[in-house]
Structures are given as C-alpha cells and as structure tokens.
C-alpha cells in the first residue's frame, strides 16, 4: 500500500465479506463504484464496472449518506429525521450485502 500524499491521512478500510456492519462503522462507496442519476431510468443507479444496479428510493438515500465520515448510527439517525420509521437492522443488512459484494468499504469508527 502506498503512503498517503503529504498533508493527507488515509483511514484503513475493509470490505469484511459476510461480516456484520456495526453502528460505529463508517461506510463509503468503493473506489470502483459510483452513485449516479440515470436520466433513462429516472432514478439513482449504482455504477460498477460492467454492472448497473437500479436502486429504490431508500437504497439511494442510504448510499447518498455513505461518505466515509458518517457512522452507520448517524446515517440511521439522519434517515430517521427525514422519514418516520427507519429500521436500524434493515440499514445494516443492506450495507452488509454491499460490503460482501465489495461495493461499499467500511472504516472503523
């Protein structure tokens, strides 16, 4: 692994396939994955080399908050402020599936 450029820090991340996502983890999209708006589909999509994943509204909202700074608990709280009910376990399961596919990386909180 290359050292970070001067003046920056690198937070260790992991994909932890099959593992549980904790409330203290800080999820972010993997470098090879991008969240984008598809005009043809009129919704958010997750772009991965040779793959396009069409997201539902809640999936797009969750991934839109995965910036590597917010913890999973903070993401759930933010979504709870927007919507009435946000099941913490469903957000964690969604992120766990994306971690297993290596589309989301986790940094320890």
């Amino acid at each position: 692994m290359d050292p970070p450029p001067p003046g920056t820090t690198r937070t260790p991340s992991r994909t932890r396939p099959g593992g549980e996502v904790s409330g203290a983890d800080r999820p972010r999209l993997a470098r090879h994955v991008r969240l984008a708006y598809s005009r043809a589909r009129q919704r958010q999509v997750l772009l991965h080399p040779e793959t396009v994943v069409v997201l539902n509204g809640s999936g797009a909202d969750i991934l839109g908050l995965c910036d590597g700074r917010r913890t999973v608990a903070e993401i759930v709280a933010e979504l709870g402020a927007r919507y009435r009910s946000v099941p913490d376990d469903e957000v964690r399961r969604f992120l766990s599936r994306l971690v297993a596919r290596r589309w989301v990386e986790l940094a320890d909180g």
Side-chain angles (χ1 to χ4, degrees):
M1 179 179 286
D2 296 328
T8 63
T9 58
R10 176 178 285 167
T11 303
S13 61
R14 64 195 189 289
T15 53
R16 202 176 17 169
E20 290 292 319
V21 174
S22 79
D25 287 329
R26 297 179 185 276
R28 68 171 181 229
L29 294 178
R31 290 182 186 180
H32 61 278
V33 176
R34 199 167 51 106
L35 184 62
Y37 183 77
S38 169
R39 288 186 296 172
R41 293 177 176 89
Q42 296 294 302
R43 54 183 23 195
Q44 294 280 10
V45 294
L46 193 61
L47 300 174
H48 178 270
E50 300 181 17
T51 305
V52 175
V53 178
V54 179
L55 299 168
N56 64 19
S58 58
D61 288 346
I62 293 168
L63 290 177
L65 295 172
C66 292
D67 57 9
R69 293 185 308 250
R70 292 180 181 94
T71 65
V72 172
E74 291 169 337
I75 291 170
V76 170
E78 172 70 26
L79 293 171
R82 293 182 193 178
Y83 309 106
R84 290 185 196 175
S85 175
V86 178
D88 179 69
D89 59 328
E90 288 184 22
V91 172
R92 289 186 205 207
R93 274 198 307 268
F94 175 74
L95 290 172
S96 291
R97 287 192 306 266
L98 297 183
V99 167
R101 292 182 176 180
R102 299 188 184 333
W103 294 347
V104 168
E105 298 174 341
L106 301 173
D108 289 326

